[in-house]
Amino acid sequence: MKTPLSVNRNNIARQILTKVPEITIFFWLTKVLTTGMGEVFSDYLVKNMNPILAVAIAGLVLAASILIQFFARKYVPWIYWLVVVMVSIFGTMAADIVHVVLGITYLVSTLFFAAVLAIVLAIWFASEKTLSIHSIHTIRREIFYWCTVLGTFALGTAAGDMTASTMHLGYFASGILFTIILLVPAIGSWLLGFNKIFAFWFAYIMTRPVGASFSDWISASKSHGGVGLGEGPVSLILTIFIIILVGYLSITRKDIQADPVVLNSRTDA
């Protein structure tokens, strides 16, 4: 029989191992900014250095940042968002390689990454019986979490490119389209009682093409239907905003998850 003291110790241990942030407006703002930054900075790197070298460097930095995240004993804003940024950059490169190097159409690559993501989520659920981000307090669940995040970035990139290029909507119209789709889980959760875990991951996937489409639109030349600021300046501006937000979160701790006693009984996202 567990005593109150042993239960309390278990809760404290679980809180220490909580490795992801609480979902607030700051989470979604930072998420959209990282998707945009990853999209344009990936393009900037590939255009201004050897593409193979760019992919190799991005892969190494991603691996290093993930190791730091895994070794951290709790959620640390700058570590978590560094991984998200690197996943964004590398996920963009992965989606671009599938299309440019392998010659696979955006429609096929979108379906492929959707299938991969579905498989990862299915294995995660079969293994852990939950996809809730409020349950990320073991190494195995954290591995599932980051595999899912990588899948969402690759899928979002391919889907955004498909609507902009294959469907000829352009970057701005694609951004508007995915913004409307992004509102579906929010409205559904509010009015129709959508499952919160489903709504979270649906929104998480959609933020990728939203951020990427608008950042592409701002950076692309006017001859390609963009504003014409260029990948370098847009990458720098978005990076500054990300640093400001992550610094704010580090100081205020507004995205620290709730008391672990509450977490133990939660099943939402």
Side-chain angles (χ1 to χ4, degrees):
M1 179 176 179
K2 292 184 178 180
T3 66
L5 180 59
S6 64
V7 172
N8 184 57
R9 285 175 177 173
N10 180 62
N11 289 332
I12 292 174
R14 178 162 294 189
Q15 184 180 44
I16 291 173
L17 292 174
T18 298
K19 306 291 289 295
V20 298
E22 184 61 273
I23 307 305
T24 66
I25 184 61
F26 299 104
F27 174 88
W28 292 116
L29 286 174
T30 311
K31 174 63 168 60
V32 172
L33 290 174
T34 59
T35 64
M37 183 272 189
E39 174 74 17
V40 292
F41 190 59
S42 172
D43 292 340
Y44 177 80
L45 288 177
V46 171
K47 290 179 180 179
N48 289 274
M49 64 187 299
N50 183 290
I52 297 177
L53 180 61
V55 173
I57 292 175
L60 288 173
V61 177
L62 172 60
S65 62
I66 288 178
L67 283 176
I68 295 173
Q69 168 70 15
F70 280 139
F71 277 110
R73 295 294 296 170
K74 61 181 180 179
Y75 164 67
V76 180
W78 75 266
I79 297 176
Y80 175 87
W81 288 109
L82 173 62
V83 179
V84 173
V85 166
M86 292 313 304
V87 167
S88 178
I89 294 172
F90 190 78
T92 300
M93 290 180 173
D96 289 341
I97 287 173
V98 169
H99 175 71
V100 177
V101 178
L102 301 181
I104 298 175
T105 65
Y106 286 127
L107 174 59
V108 173
S109 62
T110 298
L111 294 175
F112 170 76
F113 287 122
V116 170
L117 180 58
I119 292 171
V120 172
L121 289 172
I123 296 174
W124 180 359
F125 185 79
S127 173
E128 305 299 317
K129 309 306 178 186
T130 180
L131 301 176
S132 172
I133 65 162
H134 290 110
S135 68
I136 311 299
H137 48 69
T138 67
I139 294 296
R140 185 166 61 184
R141 290 184 180 184
E142 192 173 7
I143 291 173
F144 281 127
Y145 176 82
W146 287 112
C147 287
T148 302
V149 170
L150 181 58
T152 63
F153 273 89
L155 172 59
T157 298
D161 288 337
M162 179 183 68
T163 58
S165 301
T166 305
M167 299 175 63
H168 307 291
L169 292 181
Y171 298 125
F172 183 76
S174 292
I176 296 297
L177 172 64
F178 285 110
T179 299
I180 294 173
I181 297 175
L182 177 60
L183 294 176
V184 171
I187 296 174
S189 297
W190 180 38
L191 297 177
L192 304 176
F194 277 13
N195 179 277
K196 291 185 178 181
I197 295 177
F198 167 79
F200 169 79
W201 285 115
F202 187 96
Y204 199 98
I205 293 171
M206 287 301 109
T207 55
R208 173 57 181 173
V210 168
S213 296
F214 283 120
S215 62
D216 276 335
W217 173 63
I218 296 172
S219 63
S221 63
K222 294 182 179 180
S223 62
H224 286 82
V227 176
L229 290 185
E231 288 94 352
V234 174
S235 298
L236 178 60
I237 292 170
L238 293 178
T239 299
I240 291 173
F241 277 117
I242 292 170
I243 291 174
I244 291 173
L245 272 173
V246 173
Y248 174 77
L249 293 174
S250 298
I251 295 172
T252 63
R253 299 174 62 82
K254 286 183 176 292
D255 61 342
I256 301 299
Q257 286 198 21
D259 190 296
V261 173
V262 177
L263 292 181
N264 285 341
S265 62
R266 293 176 69 168
T267 58
D268 59 18

